[in-house]
Amino acid sequence: MRAATAPVREIALVDTPEILSSPVGRIIEEHHNDRNDLIAMLLDIQDAMGFLPRFAMEHVATSLEIPITEVYGIATFFKYFRLKPPGEHQCTVCTGTACHVRGAARVLREFERHLGIRSGEVTDDREYGLETVNCVGACALGPIVLLDGDYQGQVTASKVPTLLRRLKRSAEKKPVAARSEAAA
Amino acid sequence: MLIGRSDPERPCITICTGTGCVAGGAGDVVEAFRKVLADHGLSRRVEIRLTGCHGFCEMGPLVTLQPSETFYPKVRPKDAKRIIEQTVLNKEPIEELLYRDPSTHEPIEHEGDIPFYSHQHRIVLAENGRIDPTNLNDFLDIGGYLALQNVLATMSPADVIDDVSRSGLRGRGGAGFPAGPKWKIASEQPAACKYVVCNGDEGDPGAYMDRSVLEGNPHRVLEGMCIGAYAIGAQQGFIYVRHEYPLAVGRISRAVQDARRAGMLGERILGTDFSFDLKVVRGAGAFVCGEETALIASIEGRKGEPRQRPPYPAVSGYMGSPTVINNVETWANIPHIINNGPDWYASIGSEHSKGTKIFSLVGKVNCTGLVEVPMGTSIRSIVYDIGGGIPDQKALKAVQTGGPAGGCLPADQIDLPIDFEALREAGTIMGSGGLIVMDESTCMVDVARYFTGFLEEESCGKCYPCRKGTQRMRELLEDICEGRGTMEHLSLLDELGATVNTTSMCGLGQNAATPVLSTIRYFRDEYIAHIRDHCCPAGVCTELIRFEIMADLCDGCGACAKVCPAEAIFGEKNELHTIDPNLCIKCGTCKDVCTKDAVLVLSGGGHEH
């Protein structure tokens, strides 16, 4: 339900340098400040910034004249949203069913052990982030790991150290043809 | 053959750029072909067409040459030169690059002769490999939007609903509600505003047929939605696609734009009085949003929480107006029903489930991919005739259908014909068409724990049986997997599962215990082995297994000791190595690297793997 009667928490919209230099205002405008587009706005903000910073959520709430809890509710309900910045390099282990029956759980355990973090966390130096995804739909290649968005197929636990080394070496990945098309 | 091209003899190289092939390196293959053509000065004479998913993902990247229909699987960039010089220019197939029949090892040149394709009956998927999904003209060339023209010119809304009802088409999203009657309910509502929605929130891990249709043939879905909108009197529609499917979002958005420009969407479609427009809405990753009322909430920009039904969305949906929600595959079937007639459609399939269904055949099967077969086809035919059986000479153990909230069927039930009723009777569901093959090295208790954990995570938390029930079931299953289970755990699971399934509010909760109940029903012995003997017969549950090196197989190469992250393996060069069970973290790396297969997984009294 729309919380039309709930009191709106007053947040002064101060044009801090942080807000001015961020794409948040532009994105809200692109969606015509429409409450129905809240999820789309947050998706665009995260795509532009890598995560949803608190000031961005406050900015959206104030702009749409809705309580910040409503924005936060959306940001925590849907899996895609991140409230913390991702790692410089993001390792995404697919734990879909097809990958699971081919041993994805062991692969994930190895990533956790090597990086010393749990899924959903980022290393202290912010170099690596680790997360899981429910299915990337490339089940023929399972178990699948995405390293900075690049698909690695048929990953086994023993391949994890090599993959991490390679990730470190090639910071600059060339974009996958299909991804650039989707982005365009 | 090439369809509707001005010159069907003009050579064309079709390259699959579905997600599976792109992940397998199709992008580089495309570049290689482009470069070779340019080097030979052939760029104008030979067309390169990037198509959507052909379905045979196991063999990607896939390249098919027209007009000869020569099919090359697993193409690498370095093959481009030979393929162009030999097959395109000299019209000779290259034998060693052709697909080989896994049983006879004979090379097969044409796509249609490959068992994976020849045993299918493709209606919705048939066009995926033929057209460039970003090119509206390609779609028009294969008769695209003819059904819409026909409907607008010659049929009344009631005629359309009548045709869809008579075809027997049932919703492909999971529950199998008949499409025609659903449309009829919405059409009879007096409301001024009505809506149609395409449910492309394909959240089932391991199922990707909807994405493939959206990516490979987006206009077919739009055409189906336009026809549906005309039938119920809707002016506005939504296509809900997961944001995690960037390619699908891009392709469908482009198709909407192109269709609008060509007059198939917007004001006064094709010069008639009918106006209808579509908006693409991106989902942000919530399995529960596949439930129709949750999906509507999400389109309205709210949390994807389901609500009590009735009223059903056909009566009160988006913004309280009548809304027809159908799944991608359902919409894509509509133009075919209009073009070929309801009787044609009703002649395919089983008594109560008509037409074809796309399954996403994945897991421990030789030919992973998308499979479209008539309803009523047996699981055996799908797994063996089309899927080519189980790899590594292992035995089939179970087939899981219906996504995470579906159930597992044991190997002795594989002659079951797949349709809505037969699956329901056997204790599982059709769902959106995930079909996960499991072999003897899959632990059914672990699978139940996996699905229950998934559902616990994805439960929206609104109703108690689902929120708490999935959590408690996952804890009980974890106890069993980790050796703390008792026989009481089993009876608790039975009781709790029945309660969750009967008292939850929405489809997610009402099937949340199905994975547990179906595995207990068919694989009770395996549960008991975990509980009584602390044995995981499949060798999966970490707490119940141990790794050992076999003295007669180990040649002392030392590869395992070198990679062991726990430094738990000891032994001199060329001597037998041993694993210290107290240090071993059971990561399995030693087993991965051993070339002699000397590392065995043991459980309980000594099951070997």
Side-chain angles (χ1 to χ4, degrees):
Chain A
M1 282 293 109
R2 300 276 286 276
T5 52
V8 176
R9 191 183 137 199
E10 286 298 323
I11 301 167
L13 255 195
V14 190
D15 288 339
T16 61
E18 194 182 32
I19 289 178
L20 284 176
S21 64
S22 84
V24 179
R26 173 180 55 79
I27 289 169
I28 295 172
E29 239 168 73
E30 276 169 11
H31 290 280
H32 311 293
N33 206 28
D34 181 356
R35 166 68 185 79
N36 279 10
D37 269 13
L38 175 56
I39 298 173
M41 283 178 207
L42 297 182
L43 285 171
D44 289 347
I45 293 172
Q46 173 157 316
D47 283 352
M49 307 184 71
F51 73 113
L52 297 177
R54 186 187 171 117
F55 81 84
M57 288 191 283
E58 287 175 347
H59 192 90
V60 170
T62 314
S63 193
L64 296 178
E65 297 184 357
I66 55 173
I68 179 84
T69 49
E70 224 172 297
V71 180
Y72 187 72
I74 297 281
T76 51
F77 183 88
F78 292 98
K79 255 211 153 76
Y80 186 76
F81 296 118
R82 274 191 213 115
L83 300 185
K84 287 182 186 157
E88 192 67 27
H89 299 295
Q90 203 62 20
C91 309
T92 311
V93 180
C94 178
T95 51
T97 319
C99 288
H100 179 81
V101 300
R102 292 187 183 186
R106 267 176 55 200
V107 172
L108 176 63
R109 258 203 317 269
E110 275 307 283
F111 270 102
E112 290 185 332
R113 226 175 42 74
H114 276 275
L115 296 173
I117 50 174
R118 309 271 298 168
S119 165
E121 296 177 348
V122 176
T123 51
D124 286 341
D125 59 2
R126 300 228 159 275
E127 191 70 16
Y128 298 100
L130 180 62
E131 58 192 2
T132 59
V133 61
N134 280 339
C135 184
V136 295
C139 308
L141 300 172
I144 296 243
V145 174
L146 278 85
L147 299 180
D148 288 341
D150 242 19
Y151 295 86
Q152 306 290 330
Q154 272 126 24
V155 177
T156 57
S158 57
K159 286 184 188 165
V160 172
T162 324
L163 288 177
L164 283 172
R165 271 199 301 277
R166 203 186 304 160
L167 184 60
K168 197 166 190 163
R169 271 204 306 271
S170 56
E172 279 300 299
K173 290 272 171 194
K174 74 177 158 183
V176 179
R179 292 205 151 228
S180 50
E181 182 194 323
Chain B
M1 58 165 244
L2 262 183
I3 297 128
R5 288 273 131 181
S6 47
D7 177 10
E9 289 306 308
R10 184 186 174 198
C12 173
I13 302 169
T14 60
I15 304 176
C16 174
T17 50
T19 301
C21 283
V22 168
D28 293 338
V29 173
V30 173
E31 285 315 307
F33 272 100
R34 283 209 175 114
K35 185 171 180 303
V36 177
L37 283 185
D39 291 348
H40 285 64
L42 292 168
S43 298
R44 283 173 168 278
R45 262 186 60 206
V46 181
E47 183 190 354
I48 289 189
R49 191 183 299 165
L50 309 185
T51 70
C53 178
H54 296 214
F56 201 0
C57 308
E58 185 76 39
M59 287 291 147
L62 307 174
V63 173
T64 311
L65 304 180
Q66 308 288 9
S68 69
E69 292 229 317
T70 309
F71 173 84
Y72 290 119
K74 294 201 173 180
V75 175
R76 297 153 299 177
K78 66 173 180 161
D79 299 329
K81 191 163 183 286
R82 283 172 72 199
I83 291 176
I84 285 174
E85 286 172 358
Q86 208 166 320
T87 314
V88 176
L89 295 179
N90 291 334
K91 301 192 168 48
E92 283 169 13
I94 305 166
E95 200 180 305
E96 72 245 42
L97 295 183
L98 291 176
Y99 178 78
R100 280 178 191 272
D101 188 301
S103 45
T104 62
H105 301 289
E106 286 296 310
I108 302 176
E109 184 183 348
H110 303 296
E111 189 178 87
D113 298 331
I114 293 169
F116 178 81
Y117 290 108
S118 65
H119 287 90
Q120 296 193 38
H121 182 132
R122 290 185 154 203
I123 296 171
V124 174
L125 283 180
E127 295 156 352
N128 260 26
R130 302 189 202 169
I131 56 169
D132 174 351
T134 60
N135 188 340
L136 175 59
N137 286 331
D138 268 17
F139 182 65
L140 295 176
D141 280 347
I142 59 165
Y145 288 111
L146 271 184
L148 177 65
Q149 278 180 41
N150 220 337
V151 162
L152 294 183
T154 63
M155 293 171 81
S156 71
D159 291 343
V160 177
I161 293 176
D162 188 50
D163 268 15
V164 174
S165 298
R166 280 203 297 136
S167 75
L169 173 69
R170 296 169 66 172
R172 266 40 179 164
F177 193 84
K182 190 195 267 186
W183 292 18
K184 193 156 192 294
I185 295 168
S187 75
E188 285 165 350
Q189 304 303 313
C193 268
K194 294 179 189 180
Y195 299 92
V196 290
V197 174
C198 172
N199 183 350
D201 185 53
E202 194 171 46
D204 284 16
Y208 56 103
M209 65 288 286
D210 289 348
R211 192 195 59 193
S212 285
V213 173
L214 286 173
E215 284 177 7
N217 201 357
H219 284 287
R220 208 40 109 190
V221 180
L222 300 192
E223 188 181 11
M225 292 185 76
C226 286
I227 294 170
Y230 173 75
I232 70 155
Q235 303 81 35
Q236 174 70 45
F238 299 96
I239 302 177
Y240 189 90
V241 194
R242 293 173 69 195
H243 188 62
E244 290 97 322
Y245 284 177
L247 189 59
V249 173
R251 294 257 169 94
I252 196 79
S253 303
R254 167 145 190 194
V256 169
Q257 276 173 20
D258 290 351
R260 216 178 266 148
R261 216 171 288 139
M264 319 289 181
L265 277 180
E267 297 290 318
R268 303 182 58 81
I269 291 175
L270 297 168
T272 64
D273 290 337
F274 172 58
S275 300
F276 171 69
D277 211 343
L278 273 170
K279 183 179 175 188
V280 177
V281 178
R282 291 164 297 160
F287 179 66
V288 71
C289 285
E291 202 279 342
E292 53 185 13
T293 59
L295 187 141
I296 288 172
S298 170
I299 295 179
E300 292 169 352
R302 296 183 286 116
K303 277 187 282 185
E305 284 177 348
R307 63 157 173 79
Q308 194 69 258
R309 300 177 306 174
Y312 287 90
V315 175
S316 172
Y318 179 71
M319 295 298 183
S321 297
T323 305
V324 163
I325 300 190
N326 279 130
N327 150 284
V328 173
E329 195 185 336
T330 316
W331 288 121
N333 267 299
I334 299 291
H336 296 286
I337 291 173
I338 299 291
N339 283 334
N340 301 301
D343 297 330
W344 161 81
Y345 196 79
S347 71
I348 305 165
S350 65
E351 193 186 346
H352 297 293
S353 304
K354 300 299 184 190
T356 58
K357 175 81 194 83
I358 307 176
F359 291 96
S360 158
L361 182 64
V362 300
K364 304 285 186 66
V365 63
N366 275 317
C367 303
T368 296
L370 294 180
V371 172
E372 185 174 352
V373 289
M375 290 274 191
T377 304
S378 71
I379 298 176
R380 180 190 298 279
S381 170
I382 296 175
V383 173
Y384 287 95
D385 297 342
I386 298 172
I390 319 297
D392 304 329
Q393 277 94 44
K394 287 195 174 155
L396 174 72
K397 182 170 183 178
V399 172
Q400 202 268 353
T401 73
C408 296
L409 293 171
D412 61 19
Q413 296 237 355
I414 60 165
D415 288 311
L416 194 79
I418 292 200
D419 67 19
F420 290 104
E421 279 72 28
L423 288 177
R424 184 50 87 178
E425 254 167 57
T428 176
I429 56 170
M430 173 82 78
S432 62
L435 224 156
I436 291 134
V437 182
M438 299 167 180
D439 68 10
E440 56 203 63
S441 62
T442 311
C443 169
M444 302 315 289
V445 188
D446 172 68
V447 164
R449 171 176 66 164
Y450 165 78
F451 285 127
T452 311
F454 175 89
L455 294 166
E456 176 192 5
E457 187 88 350
E458 294 294 335
S459 168
C460 78
K462 185 168 177 174
C463 76
Y464 189 82
C466 172
R467 180 177 76 231
K468 206 66 194 167
T470 49
Q471 183 204 336
R472 290 293 294 133
M473 286 194 296
R474 193 257 307 148
E475 287 166 4
L476 290 166
L477 290 163
E478 234 164 51
D479 279 352
I480 297 176
C481 286
E482 291 170 9
R484 297 185 299 271
T486 63
M487 290 307 283
E488 207 190 339
H489 278 67
L490 260 189
S491 47
L492 264 175
L493 277 172
D494 266 329
E495 194 187 332
L496 184 55
T499 309
V500 170
N501 272 10
T502 45
T503 59
S504 292
M505 192 184 70
C506 81
L508 191 156
Q510 285 161 12
N511 286 300
T514 308
V516 180
L517 296 178
S518 72
T519 47
I520 293 182
R521 171 171 166 185
Y522 293 118
F523 301 95
R524 202 179 178 84
D525 290 350
E526 202 164 329
Y527 276 88
I528 293 174
H530 281 73
I531 293 168
R532 287 214 180 125
D533 312 329
H534 296 280
C535 167
C536 174
V540 173
C541 296
T542 319
E543 278 74 9
L544 303 182
I545 57 171
R546 57 186 191 278
F547 286 79
E548 269 178 33
I549 298 173
M550 292 296 101
D552 48 340
L553 292 174
C554 176
D555 64 357
C557 71
C560 55
K562 206 169 141 201
V563 296
C564 177
E567 298 181 1
I569 303 180
F570 302 94
E572 295 298 318
K573 191 88 188 153
N574 301 324
E575 300 279 326
L576 170 66
H577 282 54
T578 51
I579 301 175
D580 182 341
N582 296 320
L583 295 175
C584 176
I585 55 167
K586 300 172 187 174
C587 67
T589 308
C590 50
K591 190 172 163 59
D592 284 345
V593 299
C594 181
T595 53
K596 298 283 177 292
D597 281 335
V599 182
L600 290 193
V601 180
L602 302 165
S603 186
H607 280 272
E608 292 178 7
H609 298 278

